[in-house]
Amino acid sequence: MSEKQLEDKIIELLPKTSLFGGVDLKEIHFFVESLVEKRCKAGEIILKEGESPGDSYLLLEGEVKLTVRDRRVDKFGPGTVFGIDSTIGIQKQITTAIAATDIILAIIPKMSLYTLSQKNPDLFSKLILNVARDLARALKGMERIIEDYVLLEEKHLL
């Protein structure tokens, strides 16, 4: 996929991609310059639970499944950014991401966020705020799981 095709695909996915909330087209053009396309076959592991943080990914085409301890916990399609939480947090990967179908990814190199912070701090701020919002939503989603766990513990079922 050419840089122009990659850019067009990302612009097409903007409404589905929380990472780019509040980001204008000029900023998208700037950001796309740092992305690299990667194609994976169904069954290929993209990132592995317990590994050191690396690049992040924007899913352009296909489906990816996430597993924890070999159990599927999620499945998602185009427009999803994943792996960025480990990169920002400098933490080991908490999931394994596997191509559920043949996929096309835009790789967000781990150093691109640092470079972006130097070259375009306004865009960097928008992206980090969007990541923080996504992480806050995910944390809020854990509330029910924690409540269920507490109830089981109170009933002495754990």
Side-chain angles (χ1 to χ4, degrees):
M1 195 178 296
S2 71
E3 186 176 311
K4 174 71 172 125
Q5 290 170 313
L6 183 62
E7 187 174 291
D8 289 346
K9 188 66 169 175
I10 290 170
I11 290 168
E12 173 190 322
L13 292 172
L14 282 180
K16 299 178 186 176
T17 308
S18 60
L19 179 65
F20 296 111
V23 176
D24 65 38
L25 287 179
K26 183 180 176 187
E27 292 170 318
I28 293 293
H29 296 294
F30 184 85
F31 187 72
V32 168
E33 292 175 4
S34 69
L35 304 183
V36 179
E37 176 190 337
K38 180 178 180 178
R39 293 172 183 264
C40 300
K41 296 286 185 192
E44 191 172 332
I45 295 175
I46 303 149
L47 54 86
K48 191 167 180 70
E49 183 178 349
E51 286 184 345
S52 295
D55 298 326
S56 304
Y57 304 92
L58 168 59
L59 182 58
L60 301 175
E61 292 182 14
E63 289 186 325
V64 169
K65 71 175 180 176
L66 293 180
T67 64
V68 173
R69 297 184 186 154
D70 297 322
R71 292 185 177 153
R72 189 182 129 198
V73 293
D74 199 8
K75 190 174 189 177
F76 52 82
T80 305
V81 175
F82 61 100
I84 201 161
D85 52 330
S86 294
T87 302
I88 290 173
I90 313 172
Q91 301 290 316
K92 302 271 186 205
Q93 299 293 345
I94 61 170
T95 60
T96 296
I98 304 165
T101 63
D102 290 352
I103 61 171
I104 300 175
L105 300 166
I107 299 173
I108 305 168
K110 65 180 175 182
M111 287 307 295
S112 67
L113 290 175
Y114 173 76
T115 302
L116 190 61
S117 73
Q118 305 298 307
K119 291 184 176 181
N120 193 331
D122 289 340
L123 176 56
F124 175 77
S125 296
K126 287 179 186 178
L127 296 178
I128 292 300
L129 181 58
N130 288 336
V131 170
R133 286 179 178 146
D134 284 346
L135 292 172
R137 285 184 200 108
L139 187 57
K140 184 69 175 165
M142 293 297 297
E143 184 177 29
R144 181 177 169 118
I145 294 169
I146 293 167
E147 287 172 356
D148 289 347
Y149 180 83
V150 169
L151 287 173
L152 289 172
E153 193 174 62
E154 286 174 352
K155 293 178 181 180
H156 305 289
L157 297 172
L158 292 178

